[in-house]
Amino acid sequence: VRLVESGGGLVKPGGSLRLSCAASGFTYNYYTMNWVRQAPGKGLQWLSSITGNSNYIYYADSVKGRISISRDNAEKSLHLQMDGLGAGDTAVYYCTRSLLGTTEAAFDIWGQGAMVTVSS
Amino acid sequence: SYVVTQPPSVSVAPGKTASIPCVGDNIEFYRVHWYQQRPGQAPVLVISFGYDRPPGIPARISGSKSANTATLTISRVEAGDEADYYCQVWDPTSDQWVFGGGTKVTVL
């Protein structure tokens, strides 16, 4: 069971970025997937969740309107589109799986994280 | 939205017990999960649904809930338990996940 994020890097303020997460080792379409970020030296911040069939999508109030989550079950991939990036978006972004596939279940699998730095 | 509060740090001697509180209104009625994050690593789930240990998590780590406090307890603390610990709660009113600010456990 593995999650591997990609797409991180250096972005100018006001720019956009699309993160991806490749899943393997489990029946991907059964599970709710999530994005969590962690600013340098700070705690964990949940960003968004999407159910297995994409019927339900949830966003944190703090980023709603600037981000969009999506998934491709055929490709076993998860994506996070982020727009209007600012310095406060500098963080490690983690892709996670929800245990049991239900929305309120714990995040039992985490990727290694993708670093996003917003700087001019 | 729902708020959960953790102390920034807890110190404990080797072999003793560390208790990490996560305080929130009526938290006993919420789904509470706990994560351990060692320096430079991704978080690891250590307790789900307040009490359940995933495979591979030692029995020294346990969870409990009372009216307004969920607690992660680490018994017979070892040097390897030194890490940041986060509680997490699903708020069904706002349909959002909430993380506590994290507690750094230092083994003296």
Side-chain angles (χ1 to χ4, degrees):
Chain A
V1 177
R2 197 175 180 208
L3 299 172
V4 178
E5 300 92 341
S6 61
L10 179 64
V11 185
K12 286 184 167 45
S16 299
L17 195 68
R18 187 176 192 242
L19 296 176
S20 296
C21 172
S24 61
F26 62 99
T27 307
Y28 181 68
N29 58 291
Y30 283 4
Y31 292 87
T32 293
M33 299 295 294
N34 319 277
W35 288 100
V36 176
R37 72 182 179 185
Q38 185 172 36
K42 302 297 185 183
L44 303 174
Q45 181 187 14
W46 169 78
L47 297 176
S48 183
S49 300
I50 184 169
T51 56
N53 55 13
S54 301
N55 280 0
Y56 293 94
I57 290 174
Y58 306 95
Y59 294 108
D61 287 343
S62 59
V63 293
K64 195 176 295 183
R66 290 200 302 120
I67 68 170
S68 176
I69 192 172
S70 62
R71 65 190 293 163
D72 184 331
N73 286 346
E75 295 293 325
K76 296 187 179 181
S77 62
L78 179 72
H79 306 284
L80 183 70
Q81 174 70 36
M82 299 184 294
D83 301 317
L85 290 166
D89 297 310
T90 294
V92 174
Y93 286 73
Y94 293 103
C95 165
T96 78
R97 184 186 83 168
S98 289
L99 178 67
L100 304 178
T102 58
T103 304
E104 59 187 24
F107 300 170
D108 66 331
I109 304 296
W110 294 64
Q112 85 287 354
M115 183 70 207
V116 173
T117 302
V118 182
S119 176
S120 55
Chain B
S1 61
Y2 194 70
V3 174
V4 289
T5 302
Q6 297 180 239
S9 62
V10 166
S11 298
V12 58
K16 300 299 185 183
T17 297
S19 294
I20 304 166
C22 174
V23 179
D25 285 345
N26 297 311
I27 200 169
E28 65 177 328
F29 299 116
Y30 289 76
R31 311 290 195 182
V32 181
H33 313 301
W34 290 93
Y35 301 87
Q36 175 194 68
Q37 185 179 33
R38 294 190 172 104
Q41 297 185 18
V44 172
L45 177 66
V46 293
I47 293 289
S48 64
F49 295 105
Y51 313 97
D52 297 334
R53 270 188 309 278
I57 302 302
R60 302 184 296 106
I61 295 178
S62 62
S64 61
K65 288 192 294 182
S66 63
N68 295 306
T69 303
T71 302
L72 182 71
T73 301
I74 308 173
S75 304
R76 301 182 298 284
V77 165
E78 305 171 355
D81 297 325
E82 196 161 91
D84 294 324
Y85 293 82
Y86 295 89
C87 62
Q88 178 198 32
V89 173
W90 172 253
D91 178 13
T93 301
S94 63
D95 282 342
Q96 299 193 46
W97 282 106
V98 177
F99 282 102
T103 298
K104 181 177 181 60
V105 170
T106 299
V107 180
L108 300 171

